[in-house]
Amino acid sequence: MPYYLGLDSSTQSLSAMAIDPERGRVVLDESINFGRDLPHYASPHGFLANANPNIKHSNPLMWVEALDLLLSRVRATGFDLSQVAAVSGAGQQHGSVYLSTPLSAAGKFGADRALVDSVKPLLSRPSAPIWMDSSTSAACGEIAGAVGGDGVVTKVTGSRTIERFTGPQIRKFYREEPASYEQTREIHLVSSFMASLLVGTTAPIDLGDGAGMNLLDLASGSFSRELLDATAPGLGAKLPGPVPSTQKVGEITGYFIEKYGFRAGTPVFAFTGDNPSSLIGMGASAPGTAVVSLGTSDTVFAAMREPRTDPQGFGHVFGNPAGGFMSLICFANGSLAREQVAKDVGYDWDAFTRAILETTQPGNSGNLLLPFFVPEMTPKLLAPAAKRFGSPAFVAGKEPAALVRGVVEAQALSMQYHSRWIGETPSLLLVTGGASRNRGILQVLADVFQAEIRTLKTGNSSALGAALRAAQAGGAHDWADLYARFAAPDPDLQVAPAPGTERVYDELRARFVAELAKLG
Ligand code: XUL
């Protein structure tokens, strides 16, 4: 004791993880799965159905209700929330929440009713566009055009205009629903929204997550006047922050003290994006270690020695919560693509792993799959393109084990190919996320990247990162000490490249890249 609490509001779940730094132990790990636990939001994968595959929104009230449900579960386990000395958190990046009443003017949340009932009347937009949305190409073009092109946007913000980023999402809202935009007084990222709920007032956006908006001037650490103006009128006044990720944003509000037993005065530190938070949770906030995160999205990221941008325009620069910057490349076809193939061939995860490790060989006997089951951002594909090349049986979808290896190999090839701009060939990769427990996937990553693979014991590095940030900011623990206690590699799950695989994947990569080029 004391404990430090991290919350992680991701696409499909809300998690709470608490650590005891003195004893080096995770003392709480609870999760709410939106699809399973809150079925009345009709969001089995965390987002609402839409006839247009490019539109992906969530109901922000689902996240609010999940917070109440999560904390009541935590209480029911007997965990004593009054022992929590500080809180921080993380959220899926880029998603935005629109309020007609700023949280700073909303008054106290009454403990006599559910949080969701207090928050509902504050919304100016019933749904929140999330990172999977790719419907804002027109807005991207308009913003880039207004400031002198994507080269300028990249130079200022570290990314070209990107469909899922918050600025283009805000512009689309302003263009399509000008009256509702006008009514909107405050716009939050998922991270700052969740932090605001905890402190019962407006919590600012942090520099880590704020860099994913196409609005932040990385050099000055403030929102760019030109980009604000190019995005929507009056936008600067609606955005709280940005602040450094280590900033205290308030103290836990009375609602949570009365209902769940938090201690009055518990500080809350800025919430950040899930990827910046994972950088901390993996103990990778100093340059030199690349991380692969296998989640709803797959991401590759690393702390940066110096800000550097992707000439192909897919990669991004975000703020490193420990200071400085991080690179990131995001792939929309992560776990949903793996799950789609498993479902199509009728395999559970054991059979999925055996298909890779026992039934098939590196290179998949020349069979190649393009793994784009949903629109993709890296490379940019606004329509799905799951194509198969190779033997007639494979192309006809009749080789289940090869289809499994096909999706995993193609994902690894795409990650490796699209992360070359970071400029360092990693000889060691840290792997996190739900699928990081799967030895088959790890072996393919080792072979394709020709790198040693290490994993951590916890699959949820974003929630762990949030708890570590609370401990660093709230308890004066230093990073090195926290990393040694919580981010040590799991000795039972390390994988090395298999001999002879380098040449196999050089060939397959060349074919993969050639097929990508044909997609245009
Ligand atoms: C990163 C991205 C995703 C989300 C997933 O740019 O869009 O990784 O953060 O939660």
Side-chain angles (χ1 to χ4, degrees), residues 11 91-94 131 164-165 274-275 297 299 316 318 328 330 377:
T11 315
Q92 55 170 309
Q93 297 198 251
H94 319 298
W131 65 274
R164 70 186 190 283
F165 277 33
D274 54 1
N275 293 295
S297 64
T299 53
H316 316 297
F318 294 153
L328 180 129
C330 180
M377 58 259 305

Side-chain angles (χ1 to χ4, degrees), residues 107-165:
K108 279 195 179 359
F109 300 138
D112 53 335
R113 56 189 183 146
L115 190 58
V116 72
D117 295 326
S118 299
V119 175
K120 197 172 178 186
L122 310 178
L123 296 179
S124 58
R125 190 183 193 183
S127 66
I130 64 162
W131 65 274
M132 297 171 92
D133 190 282
S134 54
S135 67
T136 66
S137 297
C140 287
E142 288 166 359
I143 295 170
V147 299
D150 265 314
V152 176
V153 184
T154 307
K155 198 153 174 253
V156 176
T157 72
S159 308
R160 56 176 298 150
T161 50
I162 300 281
E163 277 74 0
R164 70 186 190 283
F165 277 33

Side-chain angles (χ1 to χ4, degrees), residues 333-407:
N333 282 274
S335 65
L336 296 183
R338 289 183 285 274
E339 281 161 21
Q340 179 70 51
V341 171
K343 190 166 148 237
D344 289 349
V345 300
Y347 281 8
D348 62 16
W349 292 114
D350 279 346
F352 192 94
T353 310
R354 280 199 307 277
I356 300 171
L357 292 178
E358 293 168 19
T359 322
T360 57
Q361 295 297 321
N364 214 10
S365 310
N367 294 314
L368 175 70
L369 181 85
L370 297 189
F372 310 119
F373 293 84
V374 293
E376 180 54 74
M377 58 259 305
T378 312
K380 185 165 156 182
L381 299 169
L382 293 177
K387 297 190 174 185
R388 298 187 286 267
F389 307 89
S391 73
F394 181 78
V395 172
K398 293 202 176 112
E399 292 214 38
L403 288 170
V404 167
R405 178 175 273 279
V407 70

